[in-house]
Amino acid sequence: MRSVPLALLLLPLTASAAQKSVSSVDGLQAALATAKAGDDIVLEDGTYTVNANLGCSAEGIQDQPITVRARNRHAALVRFNAVEGFKVSGRYWTFDGLTVEGICARDEDCEHAFHVTGHAEGFVLRDSRVRDFNAQLKVNAAKNASGVWEMPHRGLIERNEIHDTHARATATPVTKLNIDTGDDWVVRDNDLHDFSKQGGIAYGAFMKSGGKRGLFERNRVVCVKDSPGGDTRIGLSFGGGGTAPEFCAPAFDASVPCTPEHSDGVLRNNIVANCSDVAIYLNKAANTRVLFNTFIGTTGVDFRFAATTGEAHGNVLSSAIRTRDGASFTAGTNRANVDTATWTSWYMAPLQGDLTRKGDVSSLIGAGTRNALVTDDFCARPRPTVAASTLGALEHSLGDCTTGPADAGTGGDAGTGADAGVSDAGTGADAGTADAGTGADAGVPDGGTGPVKDREVEGGCSTSAGLLLPALLMLLPLASRRRSRPTRQ
């Protein structure tokens, strides 16, 4: 009997992948509803006003993601008048080059531009502009039809501009990138700015709820840039304000405390500026490394609670790096308590995140010991392979580089490979029935003073069974401040 080549056996499974040109809301809904692994859904230039959630439940595969992109970067404007925008519950979806805007009359009616749930691993948001949602991205575990909790591992958020045009008037949490559960998420090369909650606390981004190996690198976070200041603003966090135990990996059990909230996280080469509170908040964040960052006009770094451990090395900052409530860390060479006059003598507009050199920064050059986890700087330039490195996010020995908002090019890393973590395909059936985003997944009070933190209210996101991956597997034999302040939510 003549053998049949594997490529021919796979042909019926992959031949249906197609490029789909979309120029209307109806066309976009139809393309999403009929999407298959490898589809390239291309939005033509124009405005798409959407009054409903858009389900993304089809299953991509690692080397054939389902892509939703603008024909011309940022020229496709998707305006959502809905609680959620893209509800992603299938594996391997990529969104590229879009402009996404919330236009709800009430802020509480525009919760998320992207809600990623369950086994939706391999999610990518790249080169996009997303504005005016309470949480532009929400990520959380969900129960499948068999009652097994599944988590969306290995997401990648890169080269996006994420901000709000006004302070959010809502009772729900305000966090631009709200990543609950999921391992090996990478958040890099993004501009986050102007986020605020009226009368409350807002975060630029956090990872919590039992996640592991998160990475924040080369991001610029400016809490107050174009909009007026006010309210409490925190830059980046592992742990956020905590998680109710029943929504925390791996136990998902109300009787098992959520500790640690995050493990083995790394924050490196970030610039965080002009925040009323800390640049970095580590809440029950075990073995966290805070390396070669620049924190300007913030109240510093908090390592908090006994479960929080780690290292802080190579950072330059206003204020200090401190422990609270039993936390511990190893301090390397950091330069703390830099005053405003010094910042403005060094850089053109430091409180705006513009670190173009203006004066003499020689005191920073060679003042830090090289760290094996920090091989480049904020501008992704390789640091010298010598014993000493420049303190802070910029390797000044290499001269100036652009620190303003970047409109990055195409290409890059889709979240797979070494820096995105090890594959975990998830288990159980695909149909999701319960969503960890419902109820009080914002957690219990974290021990601070003031009001109990807000509680999140999320809608679930059902999924569909995807036949492509099982079929492929079957065919393979034939051929990864210390002063009193409101409780942080």
Side-chain angles (χ1 to χ4, degrees), residues 221 223 233-235 271-280 294-301 316-320 322 337-338 343 351 481:
V221 182
C223 292
R233 310 187 193 199
I234 296 171
I271 298 170
V272 182
N274 211 10
C275 301
S276 63
D277 207 292
V278 289
I280 303 295
T294 300
F295 303 138
I296 306 163
T298 79
T299 63
V301 178
V316 182
L317 66 156
S318 307
S319 194
R322 62 186 66 81
N337 298 307
V338 177
W343 290 117
L351 287 176
R481 288 148 317 184

Side-chain angles (χ1 to χ4, degrees), residues 294 355 377-379 381 383 390-396 401 403:
T294 300
L355 271 58
D377 75 343
F378 175 81
C379 291
R381 302 176 301 178
R383 291 188 186 250
T390 297
L391 294 175
L394 289 164
E395 180 52 66
H396 288 309
C401 67
T403 59

Side-chain angles (χ1 to χ4, degrees), residues 141-488:
K143 280 185 179 179
N144 62 28
S146 299
V148 176
W149 286 98
E150 296 181 320
M151 290 172 279
H153 298 308
R154 294 176 313 283
L156 174 64
I157 311 299
E158 70 173 353
R159 302 194 304 262
N160 305 286
E161 182 188 13
I162 297 172
H163 70 108
D164 298 324
T165 60
H166 62 274
R168 307 296 292 174
T170 180
T172 57
V174 174
T175 300
K176 301 302 90 185
L177 302 176
N178 182 330
I179 301 172
D180 294 358
T181 70
D183 300 341
D184 303 295
W185 276 75
V186 176
V187 176
R188 68 182 176 208
D189 298 322
N190 299 285
D191 263 313
L192 290 82
H193 63 92
D194 295 302
F195 47 88
S196 178
K197 176 177 178 174
Q198 290 185 12
I201 298 171
Y203 288 81
F206 60 52
M207 303 184 198
K208 62 184 182 73
S209 310
K212 298 180 180 67
R213 298 179 299 276
L215 173 62
F216 289 109
E217 69 173 345
R218 302 194 305 260
N219 300 288
R220 187 180 68 166
V221 182
V222 183
C223 292
V224 180
K225 182 171 180 265
D226 300 323
S227 299
D231 304 309
T232 301
R233 310 187 193 199
I234 296 171
L236 302 172
S237 175
F238 288 123
T243 306
E246 59 266 34
F247 299 118
C248 183
F252 296 103
D253 186 332
S255 67
V256 178
C258 189
T259 184
E261 285 278 349
H262 194 276
S263 303
D264 302 319
V266 176
L267 298 112
R268 64 189 178 203
N269 293 326
N270 299 286
I271 298 170
V272 182
N274 211 10
C275 301
S276 63
D277 207 292
V278 289
I280 303 295
Y281 181 50
L282 303 176
N283 172 15
K284 301 177 184 175
N287 193 34
T288 302
R289 295 175 173 89
V290 183
L291 306 172
F292 289 85
N293 302 280
T294 300
F295 303 138
I296 306 163
T298 79
T299 63
V301 178
D302 276 3
F303 283 74
R304 192 174 184 198
F305 298 117
T308 299
T309 60
E311 170 192 0
H313 177 66
N315 304 285
V316 182
L317 66 156
S318 307
S319 194
I321 303 169
R322 62 186 66 81
T323 59
R324 301 173 63 195
D325 302 305
S328 62
F329 74 97
T330 301
T333 303
N334 301 285
R335 181 161 176 177
N337 298 307
V338 177
D339 59 28
T340 300
T342 301
W343 290 117
T344 56
S345 72
W346 286 343
Y347 303 122
M348 293 297 294
L351 287 176
Q352 298 293 302
D354 182 354
L355 271 58
T356 303
R357 286 190 302 174
K358 182 172 71 174
D360 182 6
V361 295
S362 59
S363 64
L364 302 177
I365 297 174
T369 303
R370 180 173 171 78
N371 188 290
L373 291 179
V374 184
T375 58
D376 61 6
D377 75 343
F378 175 81
C379 291
R381 302 176 301 178
R383 291 188 186 250
T385 56
V386 295
S389 293
T390 297
L391 294 175
L394 289 164
E395 180 52 66
H396 288 309
S397 66
L398 302 176
D400 271 334
C401 67
T402 301
T403 59
D407 185 7
T410 57
D413 181 343
T416 60
D419 74 345
V422 180
S423 177
D424 180 355
T427 58
D430 291 325
T433 55
D435 182 345
T438 58
D441 76 343
V444 294
D446 68 0
T449 59
V452 173
K453 62 179 64 59
D454 301 314
R455 307 170 83 84
E456 299 189 33
V457 180
E458 307 288 4
C461 192
S462 62
T463 64
S464 59
L467 297 177
L468 182 58
L469 185 56
L472 282 168
L473 294 174
M474 291 174 63
L475 287 170
L476 285 176
L478 301 173
S480 108
R481 288 148 317 184
R482 290 48 14 223
R483 64 177 179 271
S484 177
R485 60 166 77 97
T487 301
R488 291 166 175 148

